[in-house]
Amino acid sequence: MTEHMIRPIAHMRSDFAGKFGIPRQAGVVEELESYVVFEPEYRKAEALRGIEGFSHLWLIWQFSENLRRDWSPTVRPPRLGGNTRMGVFATRSPFRPNALGLSCVKLLAVEEGPEGLMLKVGGADLMDGTPIFDIKPYIPYADCKPEASCGFAPDPGATLRVNYAPGAAETLPSEKRAALTGILANDPRPRYQHQPERLYALDFAGHTVRFTVDGDELTVTGIE
């Protein structure tokens, strides 16, 4: 039997140069727009024939910044404060035996760019440059399970109120502001950090966003 090596078919082009600030789950910030850019071998119009008929897609990708030779059967989910260990297969931790991720995104458009056909998607939770191994259509009658239980990761519920210091928002292009507000409202800080005096810095869309959090209120102090 000939061994078939798994290899990327595309990579993500997003506004996140680093991991900090990326939504913890896909679809949480629907205003986020990204592009799936295909590798030369897969830039074929026929490979996308019929894809416009689906509103959402599954992306199978790699936690490329967390590759390691060893693995642990337990991890410490941030949702539990980073102190409680759970089985790796009971979590969505990036520290996995094969470092694979799975995200459901909204298909916004199929566009022609300098690198051929690209998929414009909404709500992705991938860092810029992330390798994508496969794309499959999301099928509601098979993939949606409203009765599913969430274990130790229930819907977080309330979000933060986001305020901008005078003039801060004007530094960011207007088409990026709704996405940034959604990211900040979902509290990008590690779950265990709650220092109101701490100044955080988030890299987004080529800008550095500085903010503080006091209780349920987040204030953007500046965007550079």
Side-chain angles (χ1 to χ4, degrees), residues 152-175:
F152 62 83
D155 187 330
T159 58
L160 298 177
R161 296 195 305 272
V162 179
N163 300 311
Y164 290 85
E170 297 173 5
T171 310
L172 193 71
S174 58
E175 67 271 15

Side-chain angles (χ1 to χ4, degrees), residues 23-26 28 75-86 90-94 149-158 186-187 189-194:
R24 293 182 176 89
Q25 305 293 341
V28 172
V75 294
R76 294 182 291 185
R79 176 64 68 92
L80 299 178
N83 297 315
T84 303
R85 286 196 169 273
M86 303 297 288
T91 75
R92 296 193 177 191
S93 168
S149 57
C150 298
F152 62 83
D155 187 330
N186 280 280
D187 196 352
R189 301 173 301 166
R191 298 288 187 183
Y192 52 82
Q193 290 184 359
H194 301 283

Side-chain angles (χ1 to χ4, degrees), residues 111-126:
E111 297 185 0
E112 182 76 38
E115 299 169 281
L117 288 176
M118 305 183 297
L119 302 181
K120 183 179 182 180
V121 299
D125 56 342
L126 282 70

Side-chain angles (χ1 to χ4, degrees), residues 16 18-25 124-128 183 188 202:
F16 293 103
K19 293 182 287 186
F20 181 57
I22 296 178
R24 293 182 176 89
Q25 305 293 341
D125 56 342
L126 282 70
M127 191 170 71
D128 188 58
I183 293 164
L202 183 157

Side-chain angles (χ1 to χ4, degrees), residues 47-211:
L48 298 177
R49 186 180 301 154
I51 201 168
E52 297 95 337
F54 298 93
S55 65
H56 292 73
L57 304 171
W58 288 112
L59 303 182
I60 301 172
W61 48 278
Q62 183 183 61
F63 288 102
S64 52
E65 297 299 301
N66 288 304
L67 298 179
R68 53 198 301 179
R69 291 184 178 276
D70 59 342
W71 70 285
S72 172
T74 61
V75 294
R76 294 182 291 185
R79 176 64 68 92
L80 299 178
N83 297 315
T84 303
R85 286 196 169 273
M86 303 297 288
V88 64
F89 300 128
T91 75
R92 296 193 177 191
S93 168
F95 301 103
R96 321 187 66 78
N98 287 309
L100 292 179
L102 177 68
S103 296
C104 180
V105 298
K106 185 174 183 179
L107 177 60
L108 301 176
V110 179
E111 297 185 0
E112 182 76 38
E115 299 169 281
L117 288 176
M118 305 183 297
L119 302 181
K120 183 179 182 180
V121 299
D125 56 342
L126 282 70
M127 191 170 71
D128 188 58
T130 296
I132 298 172
F133 289 118
D134 205 358
I135 300 167
K136 299 177 184 292
Y138 175 93
I139 302 176
Y141 70 81
D143 296 341
C144 181
K145 305 294 180 184
E147 74 282 7
S149 57
C150 298
F152 62 83
D155 187 330
T159 58
L160 298 177
R161 296 195 305 272
V162 179
N163 300 311
Y164 290 85
E170 297 173 5
T171 310
L172 193 71
S174 58
E175 67 271 15
K176 300 289 184 181
R177 294 174 191 169
L180 175 61
T181 300
I183 293 164
L184 298 174
N186 280 280
D187 196 352
R189 301 173 301 166
R191 298 288 187 183
Y192 52 82
Q193 290 184 359
H194 301 283
Q195 304 99 316
E197 71 284 356
R198 181 164 182 167
L199 181 64
Y200 296 88
L202 183 157
D203 291 328
F204 176 72
H207 294 74
T208 298
V209 181
R210 303 189 187 279
F211 65 93

